Amino acid sequence: MDKLGKILIIDDNEDVLFALNLLLEPYAEKIKVTTQPERIEHFINTFNPDILLLDMNFSKDASSGQEGFYWLEKILKIDPEAIVIFMTAYSDTVNAVKAIKCGATDYVSKPWQKERLLGTLSSAMKLKKSRTEITVLKQQVASLTDSDRKSTTEIIGSSDAMQDIFETIQKLSETDTNILILGENGTGKDLIAKAIYRNSLRKNAVFIEIDMGSIPENLFESELFGYEKGAFTDARKEKSGRMEIATGGTLFLDEIGNLSLAMQAKLLTAIEKKKISKLGSTRDIDIDVRLICATNTDLYAMVEEGHFRQDLLYRLNTIEIHLPPLRDRGNDIILLAKHFLEKYSRKYKKQISGLGRDAQKKLMQYAWPGNVRELQHAIERAVILSDNRQILHAENFMLKPPHTERKIENDNLNLGQIEKNTIEKALKRSNGNISRAAQLLGITRYSLYRKLEKDNDTTQL
């Protein structure tokens, strides 16, 4: 078994301390013992134990367990994440169970059984490692400077639509409600999510992001909820899920429309009960998470088609924010272009001071199917390929021509054939990626599966 870390044992019986020290020495990194519970704070500060074994009674003939409750409260005030295991007589297990409700991790009975004692301590050490991992991640997020946070969440826009969104974000600053952000790909849904977080009551806690579109469906559950060692073939060690890590902070679920119905049910249960259970575990973990979700798919259509749970949608969309496409944001196109121009001129050490009128006109007339992301890439490419001139002109921007479909052979107007040809093109452009092809077609992944199955059935006929 793995090392048990550092153990502090507090008991008024020196024989018990001697026996436990002798028994646990081969398994523990270090052991400290004391008969004086008054020294607990000293040992916590100087020894930094991973596990505390605490007797329930210290006074002679005492059996109520009240002393144990008293010292448990003291310990948890010093370290709310402390792992405390009570030691109690067989007849006092009722008090031990009560102690667990008050914050103790577990209890062992005296006289103890070696295997059960070691198993309890091993489970406690796993919990300690999990909490330590979460604490480290939270500290890493907290160590971000204000400039770091601002640089990753900067939003530019003076259009009426964007001003309405900024006003909504401000109104949400004193609430902790769940948010659903809707908009096309490339409109900046992740930036809006971070802006909501940065202006929220949880701004000093963690912000954890999961891109549901990039995670294989069979890994959704382990990513969200975590898993125990041995839960499946490759689970060589325990892992905390994103919902556990995000406790106290904000969890951003991007592309929520990609969540399967089975995982939708589990997510709904976690939201309603505020509890999760890792894969391979029977123990519930309390969570306190503010959810922000985003998608470019029509969740309401998915509900009608039976591919998204209506009750989950109502849990996620307490407030909806609709991000407009870049083509509908007017002069924001120029504001964003100038911002990216300054950014990439500095990055690539180019002396470019602005955009010519012809360039601005070209940018304003373009439809920007890829939205802000496409504009950013267009500006970066223009800066890289420029000859260090002071002003960029229209010829510096290689934008895609308006999309025109090739005339179908023999002017075939059969809708079924047109749909089949369009699906084939989308699959080719996305290299067979179903989710990406569905996005290109403007339909859900499940609708695309259904259409493909329909085509297969027709072919077989």
Side-chain angles (χ1 to χ4, degrees):
M1 63 182 293
D2 296 334
K3 280 284 185 182
L4 295 177
K6 294 186 288 186
I7 302 176
L8 174 63
I9 309 172
I10 311 103
D11 196 297
D12 62 340
N13 189 323
E14 292 185 355
D15 291 336
V16 170
L17 295 178
F18 177 80
L20 283 171
N21 197 1
L22 191 65
L23 171 63
L24 299 178
E25 187 177 15
Y27 306 99
E29 180 185 338
K30 286 183 181 179
I31 298 174
K32 294 279 187 183
V33 300
T34 182
T35 59
Q36 304 171 43
E38 297 83 4
R39 301 197 67 203
I40 289 175
E41 183 171 2
H42 165 75
F43 281 112
I44 289 178
N45 293 330
T46 59
F47 181 54
N48 192 25
D50 296 303
I51 302 171
L52 292 90
L53 272 172
L54 176 66
D55 193 18
M56 290 202 75
N57 300 291
F58 291 92
S59 301
K60 188 176 180 180
D61 299 327
S63 60
S64 67
Q66 290 307 309
E67 291 174 303
F69 290 116
Y70 173 81
W71 290 112
L72 173 63
E73 184 180 356
K74 289 280 188 183
I75 291 168
L76 295 179
K77 280 185 178 179
I78 299 168
D79 179 9
E81 298 296 321
I83 305 295
V84 182
I85 297 176
F86 267 118
M87 295 186 292
T88 178
Y90 277 122
S91 60
D92 207 18
T93 52
V94 173
N95 268 338
V97 173
K98 177 183 174 184
I100 291 175
K101 294 180 180 179
C102 293
T105 303
D106 208 336
Y107 71 93
V108 292
S109 300
K110 292 191 291 187
W112 54 80
Q113 295 178 349
K114 177 182 175 181
E115 294 305 320
R116 188 187 186 289
L117 173 61
L118 292 176
T120 300
L121 291 172
S122 178
S123 297
M125 192 62 205
K126 289 179 181 178
L127 178 60
K128 175 67 176 180
K129 289 180 178 178
S130 177
R131 288 182 178 178
T132 301
E133 177 185 345
I134 293 170
T135 300
V136 169
L137 285 169
K138 289 183 176 181
Q139 287 173 346
Q140 289 174 350
V141 174
S143 66
L144 288 172
T145 64
D146 289 339
S147 60
D148 290 331
R149 295 172 187 266
K150 185 176 180 180
S151 65
T152 59
T153 56
E154 190 170 27
I155 306 171
I156 294 172
S158 63
S159 61
D160 290 343
M162 293 306 296
Q163 290 303 311
D164 288 343
I165 290 174
F166 296 153
E167 185 177 343
T168 299
I169 292 173
Q170 191 59 42
K171 289 178 180 178
L172 294 172
S173 63
E174 297 300 321
T175 69
D176 212 20
T177 189
N178 292 336
I179 310 293
L180 178 62
I181 305 171
L182 304 172
E184 296 179 6
N185 278 335
T187 50
K189 296 185 290 294
D190 57 333
L191 297 185
I192 294 297
K194 290 172 184 175
I196 293 170
Y197 154 72
R198 198 174 72 245
N199 289 276
S200 74
L201 299 171
R202 299 180 182 232
K203 61 185 177 184
N204 294 319
V206 294
F207 178 89
I208 303 296
E209 179 176 357
I210 310 179
D211 182 355
M212 311 303 272
S214 65
I215 300 175
E217 188 170 327
N218 61 329
L219 296 182
F220 279 160
E221 186 169 5
S222 61
E223 281 295 317
L224 275 175
F225 305 133
Y227 53 80
E228 295 285 350
K229 180 180 179 181
F232 49 88
T233 305
D234 293 326
R236 297 183 177 88
K237 62 178 182 178
E238 181 184 12
K239 178 181 177 180
S240 299
R242 304 293 181 89
M243 293 199 83
E244 182 182 1
I245 295 171
T247 288
T250 302
L251 180 63
F252 175 44
L253 300 180
D254 200 5
E255 301 302 341
I256 189 70
N258 285 334
L259 206 59
S260 67
L261 283 170
M263 281 306 300
Q264 289 174 34
K266 293 183 178 182
L267 176 60
L268 178 62
T269 300
I271 295 171
E272 290 179 337
K273 295 185 176 181
K274 296 186 177 181
K275 293 179 183 292
I276 60 169
S277 179
K278 294 181 179 179
L279 279 172
S281 174
T282 57
R283 182 175 62 88
D284 284 338
I285 300 172
D286 292 328
I287 57 168
D288 172 23
V289 173
R290 197 259 184 100
L291 275 179
I292 302 177
C293 300
T295 183
N296 68 323
T297 58
D298 186 344
L299 293 185
Y300 293 94
M302 290 182 68
V303 168
E304 290 294 325
E305 296 168 1
H307 298 311
F308 202 88
R309 294 179 63 111
Q310 187 176 54
D311 46 4
L312 176 59
L313 176 58
Y314 290 153
R315 283 286 186 177
L316 301 179
N317 73 340
T318 306
I319 298 292
E320 281 187 15
I321 295 179
H322 294 258
L323 266 181
L326 183 58
R327 60 184 172 274
D328 293 341
R329 289 176 55 181
N331 199 54
D332 283 357
I333 296 172
I334 304 304
L335 291 178
L336 286 161
K338 289 179 177 179
H339 166 73
F340 292 133
L341 181 60
E342 180 182 351
K343 174 182 177 180
Y344 291 116
S345 295
R346 186 168 56 250
K347 177 179 179 179
Y348 297 111
K349 298 180 173 57
K350 296 290 185 78
Q351 301 297 319
I352 302 174
S353 59
L355 296 165
R357 288 186 179 181
D358 56 336
Q360 294 188 35
K361 182 178 179 181
K362 185 173 184 177
L363 297 179
M364 288 292 290
Q365 290 177 341
Y366 186 59
W368 300 109
N371 292 294
V372 179
R373 188 180 297 127
E374 184 182 3
L375 173 62
Q376 181 177 357
H377 292 162
I379 298 294
E380 182 176 15
R381 183 169 57 244
V383 170
I384 292 172
L385 298 177
S386 71
D387 55 5
N388 216 26
R389 66 179 70 189
Q390 295 294 313
I391 299 291
L392 290 183
H393 292 283
E395 64 267 19
N396 293 108
F397 294 95
M398 297 176 289
L399 304 178
K400 296 177 183 178
H403 183 65
T404 54
E405 291 292 342
R406 188 176 57 182
K407 187 177 181 181
I408 298 176
E409 190 174 354
N410 296 327
D411 289 329
N412 188 346
L413 297 179
N414 183 279
L415 288 175
Q417 188 61 45
I418 294 173
E419 181 180 87
K420 183 178 179 181
N421 292 340
T422 305
I423 290 173
E424 288 175 354
K425 289 178 183 178
L427 288 169
K428 186 175 180 180
R429 288 185 191 177
S430 62
N431 295 319
N433 185 301
I434 295 294
S435 296
R436 200 169 299 155
Q439 291 174 0
L440 291 173
L441 293 166
I443 61 177
T444 67
R445 182 178 60 176
Y446 305 99
S447 296
L448 179 54
Y449 274 126
R450 194 171 65 251
K451 291 180 183 296
L452 290 172
E453 289 172 358
K454 178 182 175 184
D455 287 341
N456 287 337
D457 292 342
T458 303
T459 302
Q460 290 171 5
L461 291 173

